[in-house]
Amino acid sequence: MKKYCWMIGLVLVPILIGLGCGDLGKVEQGRVIQFDKTKWTVTLVRDRQADPQNPDYCQLPPITFALPADPQEMGPEPKAGLRIKLDTKNNQIVFFDPASQNFKTIQYTLIDQKEKIAKDNPLVLDEGKPKKFPIIDREKKAITVYSKRQQILTTFTIPEEYFGLPENTWDAGDEVRIYYKEEGKARRFMNITKTDIFKK
């Protein structure tokens, strides 16, 4: 029960801060691009919008936080990924490039796209469990990604030189929210992607 209480509180903190309760601490929301389990740190690209329904993960430079040592203040461990945006209108993938510490945009050629694909759709399940994306078919030069937020399953091809990039280039990291008072040190960590605060 304690864990669910602080998760609900973490959702409400941005609202309270917006009403002038700045002494409560600060909240950052972002998409995880690196999770170091040894150092117990997480690095994320921050959300510029501060709108849970319409995030815009584009704020650089990335920011790194030490995660809470207390398991009660820690949600599920995050999955890291470099894909920042799947732009299906313009057939583009935007990803974070660790070498340049900046974003890169790749134009892709669409092979197939299915929309309104919920997380329990058989197309994204393997024997009842979530499939591991991205699916990379090097022989057919095809990459399949799934966006749970957009409910889109997309298969595309890209120029040959980009197939050598790491697989997590095409995978989106978990969306997370961090509550902190001291810069770089999370007091509470919420994995938005993997947490349903209303689930019993």
Side-chain angles (χ1 to χ4, degrees):
M1 179 60 70
K2 178 183 175 183
K3 182 177 288 189
Y4 293 124
C5 287
W6 78 249
M7 286 180 178
I8 293 171
L10 193 51
V11 173
L12 295 176
V13 164
I15 299 173
L16 295 174
I17 292 174
L19 294 174
C21 303
D23 58 329
L24 292 176
K26 298 179 181 179
V27 171
E28 287 286 5
Q29 180 167 315
R31 190 177 287 284
V32 176
I33 57 172
Q34 184 179 19
F35 171 47
D36 191 322
K37 198 165 184 176
T38 302
K39 295 181 180 178
W40 202 236
T41 60
V42 65
T43 302
L44 50 111
V45 172
R46 290 167 289 170
D47 177 17
R48 182 175 62 183
Q49 292 283 85
D51 178 359
Q53 300 303 317
N54 186 33
D56 185 8
Y57 298 115
C58 66
Q59 200 168 348
L60 294 177
I63 188 169
T64 299
F65 282 93
L67 291 167
D70 184 353
Q72 292 296 322
E73 307 295 348
M74 179 78 189
E77 292 183 3
K79 177 193 71 172
L82 298 178
R83 191 182 87 223
I84 300 298
K85 185 177 182 180
L86 173 63
D87 184 348
T88 58
K89 291 183 179 179
N90 296 304
N91 290 358
Q92 293 179 335
I93 292 279
V94 180
F95 67 92
F96 178 77
D97 175 36
S100 64
Q101 291 290 294
N102 210 336
F103 300 122
K104 285 192 174 181
T105 301
I106 293 179
Q107 196 78 29
Y108 66 79
T109 300
L110 182 65
I111 296 175
D112 182 60
Q113 183 166 290
K114 294 179 174 61
E115 301 181 7
K116 297 182 179 179
I117 304 296
K119 62 181 181 180
D120 58 353
N121 189 295
L123 290 174
V124 294
L125 297 178
D126 184 8
E127 297 182 353
K129 297 181 180 180
K131 283 184 180 178
K132 187 179 183 304
F133 290 97
I135 298 172
I136 300 177
D137 189 330
R138 299 187 185 279
E139 184 177 336
K140 295 181 179 179
K141 303 298 181 184
I143 298 174
T144 301
V145 300
Y146 174 59
S147 172
K148 186 171 70 172
R149 172 181 290 281
Q150 296 166 277
Q151 294 193 341
I152 293 176
L153 181 66
T154 305
T155 300
F156 56 85
T157 188
I158 54 175
E160 178 71 29
E161 63 266 28
Y162 294 117
F163 272 94
L165 293 174
E167 287 191 9
N168 69 341
T169 301
W170 319 112
D171 194 17
D174 286 344
E175 298 170 277
V176 302
R177 187 171 294 160
I178 290 173
Y179 169 70
Y180 68 101
K181 287 189 175 182
E182 181 182 344
E183 292 292 333
K185 189 174 182 179
R187 287 199 172 195
R188 291 173 180 170
F189 175 87
M190 180 180 181
N191 190 325
I192 301 171
T193 300
K194 295 178 180 174
T195 301
D196 182 356
I197 64 174
F198 301 105
K199 185 177 181 180
K200 295 182 179 180

